[in-house]
Amino acid sequence: MTVEQMSSPTVPALRSVGLVTGLALEAALVPAKASPRLIPLCAGPGPAAAARASWRLMERGCSVLVSFGTAGGLDPALPPGTLIIPEEIRLIGDQPPLPVDSTLRRRLLAACERAGLPVHAGPLVGSDLPLLSPAEKARVAQLSGAAAVDMESHRVAEIALDAGLPFLAVRVIADPADRSVPRWAMKGINEKGATVVAPILLALALAPWRLPALITLARSAARARHTLGRVACGPLLDLLGR
């Protein structure tokens, strides 16, 4: 049986779609007045926070869960800003992949095509820890065969599967496969997924030569957010029927 066969053969009425994000900036990309049925929620980065956000969204009556945000590139051919709507979520190890709802995915792909948004099919792999170096990314790419990695999608997919809800992942590459993410830069995000400036300013004050790396990271992140914003303002609304 394929992953798509495991997915829901029919799609329930989309009362509301819950978007689980790891960063507050990602949640803020969803226009507040776009639709009351498109509900973003950030509880922070990582699988535990993604689980909390998923449960809260289900308590609010969401009938679909979407993992929405950025990802780390594993395929060296994919630059920052690449949109990935995977056909499955893979796990590191011998565990079977987690399904993505095939019907909703087809509808979302069609909406992206109408919006002129190119999509890479994936797959995506979940990691409980951030992959910060090209060597770490290469190792996981070899183990999983995935195009990109993030820390939330696999947990959201597990919860949706247990709850019998459709699941989708919408991820955009922020840091490509051949680029390191400095540990000092990770301190710019707190446990709630909010941006904190003070640790970054301190890191630059202690080592001003870090500035070019920070600028590169910021530019790539901006490209990723631009793509995510386009998806939120168009295809995801089309999924709801506006």
Side-chain angles (χ1 to χ4, degrees), residues 19-168:
L19 306 181
V20 177
T21 77
L23 303 178
L25 284 174
E26 295 165 347
L29 294 171
V30 181
K33 298 181 179 179
S35 171
R37 294 186 293 142
L38 192 61
I39 306 172
L41 183 58
C42 173
R52 292 194 296 272
S54 299
W55 293 326
R56 291 173 190 168
L57 288 167
M58 289 191 296
E59 289 172 354
R60 295 176 65 174
C62 290
S63 58
V64 178
L65 292 180
V66 179
S67 174
F68 179 81
T70 56
L74 299 182
D75 182 344
L78 302 180
T82 301
L83 172 61
I84 298 178
I85 302 178
E87 55 192 10
E88 65 182 20
I89 308 299
R90 297 183 179 177
L91 301 170
I92 299 172
D94 297 328
Q95 303 173 73
L98 296 161
V100 167
D101 190 277
S102 58
T103 303
L104 283 180
R105 181 175 179 271
R106 284 194 296 270
R107 286 171 53 184
L108 186 57
L109 290 174
C112 287
E113 184 176 3
R114 290 192 297 271
L117 276 166
V119 178
H120 187 83
L124 193 68
V125 65
S127 174
D128 290 343
L129 299 172
L131 305 182
L132 302 182
S133 72
E136 290 175 307
K137 294 176 186 177
R139 178 183 63 83
V140 171
Q142 185 174 19
L143 289 172
S144 66
V149 60
D150 77 274
M151 297 193 299
E152 292 83 32
S153 293
H154 62 300
R155 191 68 185 104
V156 182
E158 289 171 343
I159 290 172
L161 183 62
D162 289 344
L165 293 181
F167 165 78
L168 291 172

